[in-house]
């Protein structure tokens, strides 16, 4: 019991430390991005038109560019964590820069809820299903990945996770054991195999 509590406390401190460092990096990114707009003399209308044109040019030039290529994050104070931003595009909206933090909070919440509701498996699955649904919505809304291959892998995996969790909840209901094992169980095993296959293809695709 004491060992488990100590490990839990250690992981909590670790997550908080990483959270603070990532937040520092994101604030620095936002500060740098806010300095990109350069105003030249002119009337208000000319300045407005120039800003719109400049914003469009920046969007076309940088939005599909890797964030780690547009900004040298590794030179930041906590630049050692630049891998959290790998594969991310240089977004137009600042809120998308918080994507790594959202992912981190999600992982922490999953661990917490699994522990709190360890004796209530249906509640566990329902909460995780909701968290993964929010994650999928965020992934689609933010569209932060530059690679279409990575985007397809992530969204596809998330959908399969949700399907797996849904049928796991269904399997907890009252039904013949043959249906649970032979029907739903077989289908869930197939989903796991597809997820593993997608992960292998993605891993070899990156290496290649």
């Amino acid at each position: 019991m004491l060992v488990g509590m100590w490990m839990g406390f250690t992981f909590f401190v670790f997550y908080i430390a990483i959270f603070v460092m990532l937040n520092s990096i994101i604030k620095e990114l936002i500060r740098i991005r806010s300095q990109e707009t350069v105003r030249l003399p002119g009337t208000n209308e000319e300045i407005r038109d120039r800003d719109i044109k400049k914003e469009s040019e920046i969007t076309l030039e940088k939005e599909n560019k890797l964030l780690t290529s547009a900004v040298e994050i590794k030179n930041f104070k906590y630049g050692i964590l630049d891998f959290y931003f790998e594969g991310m595009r240089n977004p137009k909206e600042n809120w998308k820069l918080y994507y790594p933090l959202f992912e981190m909070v999600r992982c922490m919440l999953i661990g917490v809820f699994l522990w709190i509701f360890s004796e209530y498996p249906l509640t566990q699955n329902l909460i995780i299903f909701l968290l993964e649904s929010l994650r999928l919505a965020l992934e689609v809304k933010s569209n932060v990945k530059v690679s279409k291959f990575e985007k397809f892998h992530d969204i596809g995996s998330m959908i399969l996770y949700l399907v797996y969790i849904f049928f796991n909840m269904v399997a907890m209901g009252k039904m013949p054991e043959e249906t649970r094992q032979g029907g739903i169980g077989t289908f869930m095993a197939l989903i796991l195999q597809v997820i593993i296959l997608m992960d292998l293809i993605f891993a070899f695709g990156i290496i290649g």
Side-chain angles (χ1 to χ4, degrees):
M1 182 68 178
L2 289 177
V3 173
M5 291 179 63
W6 174 250
M7 290 181 63
F9 176 75
T10 302
F11 277 110
F12 177 75
V13 172
F14 171 78
Y15 269 105
I16 293 299
I18 298 297
F19 184 93
V20 170
M21 289 189 284
L22 282 177
N23 190 53
S24 173
I25 291 176
I26 293 169
K27 285 184 176 180
E28 181 65 15
L29 284 171
I30 293 175
R31 186 189 67 79
I32 292 174
R33 288 157 59 89
S34 67
Q35 296 175 350
E36 288 184 346
T37 302
V38 178
R39 290 187 174 273
L40 299 175
T43 64
N44 290 335
E45 186 174 349
E46 289 173 341
I47 292 174
R48 183 195 63 194
D49 293 341
R50 206 160 46 228
D51 286 346
I52 293 174
K53 182 179 179 181
K54 182 177 180 61
E55 182 178 352
S56 300
E57 291 173 350
I58 290 175
T59 300
L60 290 172
E61 178 184 353
K62 294 187 175 182
E63 191 172 19
N64 291 322
K65 187 177 182 181
L66 283 171
L67 178 62
T68 50
S69 298
V71 183
E72 292 290 336
I73 298 178
K74 62 183 179 181
N75 294 330
F76 288 11
K77 183 177 180 180
Y78 302 113
I80 192 174
L81 299 178
D82 66 333
F83 61 88
Y84 275 95
F85 300 88
E86 285 184 2
M88 283 182 59
R89 69 172 74 249
N90 186 26
K92 183 179 178 181
E93 300 90 349
N94 285 333
W95 71 266
K96 295 181 180 180
L97 294 171
Y98 287 91
Y99 181 86
L101 281 187
F102 296 147
E103 279 287 291
M104 192 171 186
V105 170
R106 164 189 158 270
C107 292
M108 185 170 65
L109 288 177
I110 287 177
V112 170
F113 287 130
L114 286 177
W115 176 66
I116 293 176
F117 298 102
S118 58
E119 298 181 4
Y120 306 94
L122 182 59
T123 304
Q124 273 186 340
N125 280 265
L126 181 59
I127 292 175
I128 302 306
F129 184 86
L130 292 174
L131 284 176
E132 290 301 296
S133 298
L134 290 173
R135 181 194 183 197
L136 176 60
L138 174 64
E139 183 72 30
V140 174
K141 176 67 176 178
S142 63
N143 189 30
V144 295
K145 302 296 174 59
V146 171
S147 169
K148 292 183 179 179
F149 179 51
E150 184 177 1
K151 190 187 308 180
F152 172 79
H153 166 267
D154 290 350
I155 294 178
S157 297
M158 291 176 197
I159 292 174
L160 289 175
Y161 291 150
L162 288 172
V163 174
Y164 181 88
I165 296 170
F166 173 78
F167 279 98
N168 192 39
M169 289 189 289
V170 172
M172 294 178 185
K174 292 182 179 180
M175 64 181 67
E177 195 62 26
E178 182 180 349
T179 302
R180 179 182 288 109
Q181 296 294 337
I184 297 178
T186 301
F187 181 68
M188 291 173 65
L190 179 62
I191 292 176
L192 287 178
Q193 291 176 13
V194 174
I195 292 175
I196 293 172
L197 179 61
M198 288 179 61
D199 287 342
L200 287 173
I201 294 175
F202 177 69
F204 282 110
I206 291 180
I207 294 174

